[in-house]
Amino acid sequence: SWRVRRGGQLAWADATRLDGDVGAALGRPAGFGGADAFATVLYVGEDAASLLGTARDLAASNTFRGGATVVNGVLLARFLGGAVSVRAAVVRYVAGLREKAARLPPRLPRLWHS
């Protein structure tokens, strides 16, 4: 579990807990639907809401389930599917959002390569 605070106020809280028959839980259509990878990407900034259209376009695909929304000024994207598809989606999403939000080249931040 983790929390994001903005100006000392709670903006986002998230928790994931898997116990018991984890395989069965992961296979349920209303849960993970058999996916073997799950990712969450957050963007926190004054311009978060203005990036929602771009985020939704970047999170859309036919090879995994993905989507984006804004809650309390936090841009949240989730990805669920096969490990290769989810990894590729997160790379594309972060690179695209980086380009739009910061006007930087559409690639992963250098830190992600170390």
Side-chain angles (χ1 to χ4, degrees), residues 6 42-56 68-76 93 97 100-101:
R6 295 185 73 201
L42 296 180
Y43 175 87
V44 181
E46 296 300 322
D47 58 344
S50 70
L51 296 169
L52 181 58
T54 298
R56 285 184 170 160
T69 193
V70 175
V71 178
N72 295 327
V74 176
L75 177 58
L76 164 76
Y93 179 85
L97 203 61
K100 181 74 173 183

Side-chain angles (χ1 to χ4, degrees), residues 17-102:
R17 180 180 173 166
L18 298 172
D19 59 8
D21 188 350
V22 173
L26 294 176
R28 291 190 185 104
F32 288 83
D36 55 4
F38 171 72
T40 300
V41 180
L42 296 180
Y43 175 87
V44 181
E46 296 300 322
D47 58 344
S50 70
L51 296 169
L52 181 58
T54 298
R56 285 184 170 160
D57 290 345
L58 290 167
S61 173
N62 292 328
T63 60
F64 60 87
R65 293 189 310 190
T69 193
V70 175
V71 178
N72 295 327
V74 176
L75 177 58
L76 164 76
R78 296 216 194 233
F79 305 88
L80 184 65
V84 172
S85 294
V86 168
R87 183 185 189 291
V90 169
V91 167
R92 186 173 68 91
Y93 179 85
V94 169
L97 203 61
R98 179 180 193 258
E99 178 182 36
K100 181 74 173 183

